[in-house]
């Protein structure tokens, strides 16, 4: 991942909207796309898909795509037409002080921000070391670790004397970090700090923070980078089979290539940010929707747990298919293209509205969630992610079957920027 060279605005103008009854259309209000996922965005997404499937926002110099077909085309591209190189480049120009802090870190591009052939090398390493398939994820040791850590986190949460707490910070974040920390070899005592540092990337890359907030976020990411490099540097003689950090260090490719220490640290940092920011919100969103539908706890009709597993599985799949906390993603064009009849120049940055694509009535039946990407960039951690969220929801429903949100409407607060959406708090009682 790379976190420097922020984008600059160009002279493209805003478009015109044919609907006079849609006064806040993002095509006529530059920068309005920043909060596209806030509130109940279905009407906005339907409007964009019908009238403005591809448009340019001059505030961020982004070409915004909202139709499933276009997003699928971009994400599945294997011709080099759409590049991932700017994936972590902030959409808003950074303050020079924040940019200097980030430039000094030494973070290097890895899996999500490289194109072939570099991407191929990282993907081979990830595929060889990470539990990327359902079978690998459900292997005894991996599955047991997730079950044990989420059960432990649930017991700690349920032991709160007041029998009330914040589901995100009190349970979901420590639960998923404990499970992933066990897989990677990241010590438990640093998990809370890592979650706080991971949050810095969200607004820095996907939002429009004030200069003071930018500098604070840049220092948080620099601290996370230092923590990751220290963890890698402490491994003297990795065996390749104890945890993921060891496995990444020890992995040798088909031509003898190995990941550098900076590449291992960057890979670890990228994974920790994803786990710390997205997975806890997927857990909270799944639980909140089950409670709102009157389906909490999921049914326990059979002694073997099959009915319960099926209900949780469906709830988790619904989250990632329709309500994923990852609502946007970035690509850039390497040549001139046409998308939905709109001419897009070479070198353009594309904002892919994943949340809109998930709601597109014209998408193929049972289309896979684009939150995990597609084609050569399909997330190798998709199976692990689904299973970890499944375990977190299962453990909570078993230990806290009477859990109820104290606010019966929606999770309180929330992030709403171009890339990530989700609650910052959800107070519950049990």
């Amino acid at each position: 991942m790379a976190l420097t060279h922020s984008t600059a605005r160009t002279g493209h103008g805003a478009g015109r909207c044919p609907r006079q009854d849609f006064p806040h259309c993002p095509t006529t209000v530059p920068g309005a796309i920043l909060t596209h996922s806030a509130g109940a965005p279905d009407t906005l997404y339907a409007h964009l898909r019908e009238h403005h499937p591809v448009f340019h926002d001059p505030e961020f110099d982004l070409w915004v795509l909202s139709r499933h077909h276009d997003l699928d085309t971009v994400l599945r591209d294997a011709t080099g037409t759409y590049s991932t190189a700017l994936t972590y480049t902030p959409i808003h120009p950074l303050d020079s002080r924040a940019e200097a802090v980030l430039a000094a870190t030494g973070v290097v591009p890895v899996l999500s921000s490289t194109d072939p052939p570099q991407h191929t090398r990282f993907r081979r390493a990830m595929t060889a070391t990470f539990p990327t398939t359902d079978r690998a994820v459900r292997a005894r040791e991996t599955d047991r670790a997730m079950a044990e850590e989420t059960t432990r986190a649930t017991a700690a949460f349920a032991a709160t004397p007041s029998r009330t707490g914040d589901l995100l910070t009190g349970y979901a974040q420590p639960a998923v970090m404990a499970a992933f920390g066990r897989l990677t070899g990241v010590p438990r005592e640093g998990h809370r700090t890592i979650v706080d540092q991971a949050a810095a990337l969200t607004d820095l890359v996907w939002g429009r923070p004030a200069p003071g907030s930018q500098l604070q976020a840049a220092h948080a990411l620099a601290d996370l980078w230092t923590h990751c490099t220290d963890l890698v540097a402490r491994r003297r003689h990795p065996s390749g089979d104890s945890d993921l950090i060891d496995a990444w260090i020890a992995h040798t490719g088909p031509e003898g290539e190995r990941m550098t220490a900076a590449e291992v640290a960057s890979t670890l940092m990228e994974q920790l940010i994803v786990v710390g920011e997205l997975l806890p919100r997927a857990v909270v969103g799944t639980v909140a929707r089950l409670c709102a539908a009157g389906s909490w706890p999921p049914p326990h009709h059979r002694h073997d747990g099959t009915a319960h597993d099926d209900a949780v599985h469906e709830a988790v799949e619904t989250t990632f298919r329709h309500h994923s906390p990852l609502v946007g993603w970035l690509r850039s064009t390497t040549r001139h293209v046409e998308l939905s009849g709109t001419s897009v120049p070479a070198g353009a940055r594309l904002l892919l509205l994943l949340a809109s694509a998930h709601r597109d009535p014209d998408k193929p039946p049972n289309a896979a969630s684009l939150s995990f990407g597609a084609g050569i960039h399909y997330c190798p951690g998709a199976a692990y992610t689904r299973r970890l969220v499944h375990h977190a929801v299962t453990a909570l429903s078993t230990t806290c079957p009477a859990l109820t949100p104290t606010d019966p409407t929606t999770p309180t607060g929330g992030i709403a920027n171009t890339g990530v959406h989700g609650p910052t708090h959800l107070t519950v009682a049990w």
Side-chain angles (χ1 to χ4, degrees), residues 1-3 88 107-111 113 201 221 266 269-270 273:
M1 59 193 302
L3 297 165
Y88 293 113
V107 179
V108 297
V110 283
L111 192 64
S113 54
L201 182 81
L221 288 172
S266 292
M269 182 174 174
E270 181 176 65
I273 289 173

Side-chain angles (χ1 to χ4, degrees), residues 125-365:
M126 189 64 74
T127 301
T129 57
F130 200 89
T132 58
T133 65
D134 286 332
R135 182 175 181 179
V137 168
R138 291 173 182 266
R140 179 177 300 177
E141 184 60 33
T142 301
D143 208 47
R144 183 174 65 235
M146 287 189 278
E148 289 176 354
E149 294 299 342
T150 53
T151 298
R152 179 185 302 182
T154 307
F157 185 61
T160 305
S162 65
R163 298 184 68 83
T164 184
D166 178 22
L167 189 61
L168 182 70
T169 60
Y171 171 64
Q173 289 174 344
V176 300
M177 279 303 303
F180 191 69
R182 185 160 159 181
L183 178 70
T184 53
V186 175
R188 190 181 301 271
E189 57 270 18
H191 291 176
R192 181 70 259 171
T193 300
I194 289 171
V195 169
D196 293 339
Q197 292 167 338
L201 182 81
T202 298
D203 205 32
L204 198 66
V205 171
W206 301 97
R208 186 170 47 191
S213 297
Q214 291 180 20
L215 186 59
Q216 184 179 8
H219 280 298
L221 288 172
D223 290 343
L224 178 57
W225 167 249
T226 299
H227 184 57
C228 290
T229 56
D230 287 347
L231 288 173
V232 173
R234 291 181 198 142
R235 305 303 178 92
R236 300 302 183 191
H237 304 288
S239 62
D241 59 3
S242 57
D243 56 49
L244 268 182
I245 296 178
D246 281 354
W248 288 333
I249 294 173
H251 174 71
T252 302
E255 297 179 2
E257 68 274 17
R258 303 183 71 166
M259 294 172 70
T260 66
E263 289 171 345
V264 173
S266 292
T267 298
L268 176 62
M269 182 174 174
E270 181 176 65
Q271 298 302 310
L272 288 173
I273 289 173
V274 171
V275 171
E277 270 289 83
L278 298 180
L279 269 63
R281 290 187 170 85
V283 172
V284 172
T286 302
V287 174
R289 278 183 290 277
L290 285 168
C291 289
S295 301
W296 186 267
H300 294 75
H301 291 161
R302 293 172 58 174
H303 294 298
D304 62 2
T306 303
H308 178 265
D309 277 355
D310 287 348
V312 174
H313 173 79
E314 182 59 33
V316 172
E317 288 302 304
T318 297
T319 291
F320 286 112
R321 190 180 296 273
H322 301 294
H323 307 284
S324 172
L326 187 66
V327 294
W329 199 242
L330 295 169
R331 285 287 191 270
S332 58
T333 58
T334 60
R335 63 175 179 83
H336 170 269
V337 296
E338 284 203 5
L339 294 163
S340 285
T342 301
S343 179
V344 180
R349 293 196 78 191
L350 308 178
L351 172 60
L352 312 180
L353 299 185
L354 300 172
S356 174
H358 295 159
R359 294 163 166 82
D360 192 340
D362 293 330
K363 70 179 180 181

